Amino acid sequence: MTEPQAMDGLDDLGDLYGEMILDHQRRPRNFRDLPDANRRAVGHNPLCGDRIAITVRLEADSIREIGFTGDGCAISKASASIMTDAVKSRTRAEVEALYGKFHSLVTGPSTGAPGDGAALGKLAVFGGVSRFPMRVKCATLAWHTLRAALEGRGATVTTEKESS
Ligand code: ZN
């Protein structure tokens, strides 16, 4: 059964939330903490209140297993969910390349090379985010967190400069 959009508090964001984004928000994939993770990081987007923890088992420089936990808005959760599916079994270099394409997608009118949309697969559903600048940080939070984890920084990353 499809709930009316108003019940989800989506109001003016309207068509930004496609069916796939809503599905991943309601039933996030890889939503768990890996007990045998060897990389982890926490990401925080204070502008929206999104907080995501990513755990990764990295083997031979590629992502063997990945999970995330945390809470936030529909975009941040769906982005983390779809990202964890998209990066599984990829190397760190491949994750960086994918992040570059995703970042161009959500930050502006496509300047990427033709074919980037296809390379992004399901991640392409976040194309609408570029029309909502406030939501870009929600969409990229999981990626910032994953990159921090892969670099072994292990710390909490934030989308904003700490003012204190
Ligand atoms: Zn958010």
Side-chain angles (χ1 to χ4, degrees):
M1 203 170 79
T2 306
E3 296 161 29
Q5 290 206 335
M7 289 188 65
D8 282 332
L10 302 181
D11 45 60
D12 59 323
L13 291 168
D15 62 354
L16 172 55
Y17 298 87
E19 208 33 61
M20 190 188 293
I21 288 178
L22 291 174
D23 178 51
H24 278 264
Q25 183 233 339
R26 291 185 186 122
R27 298 187 300 117
R29 319 300 197 269
N30 310 301
F31 193 76
R32 63 183 186 279
D33 211 36
L34 298 182
D36 53 353
N38 54 11
R39 294 287 191 281
R40 62 181 70 235
V42 172
H44 182 215
N45 173 14
L47 287 184
C48 181
D50 310 318
R51 190 177 283 276
I52 280 173
I54 300 237
T55 47
V56 176
R57 195 163 86 245
L58 194 71
E59 283 176 13
D61 209 48
S62 75
I63 295 175
R64 185 66 51 201
E65 207 53 67
I66 180 167
F68 81 97
T69 56
D71 208 2
C73 66
I75 291 290
S76 68
K77 282 182 85 167
S79 177
S81 175
I82 295 174
M83 179 196 78
T84 51
D85 267 351
V87 301
K88 225 178 270 184
S89 83
R90 293 191 190 249
T91 65
R92 283 193 283 187
E94 287 168 342
V95 169
E96 278 301 304
L98 200 57
Y99 168 72
K101 293 188 173 93
F102 182 76
H103 192 260
S104 337
L105 175 79
V106 297
T107 51
S110 180
T111 51
D116 275 5
L120 282 167
K122 285 182 180 176
L123 293 167
V125 300
F126 292 98
V129 168
S130 64
R131 289 181 286 115
F132 301 90
M134 287 292 292
R135 292 285 155 179
V136 170
K137 286 169 178 170
C138 301
T140 55
L141 177 64
W143 289 90
H144 290 309
T145 311
L146 172 61
R147 293 168 79 224
L150 292 180
E151 286 167 22
R153 283 189 265 146
T156 297
V157 294
T158 174
T159 56
E160 302 303 305
K161 295 268 193 298
E162 298 290 357
S163 55
S164 55

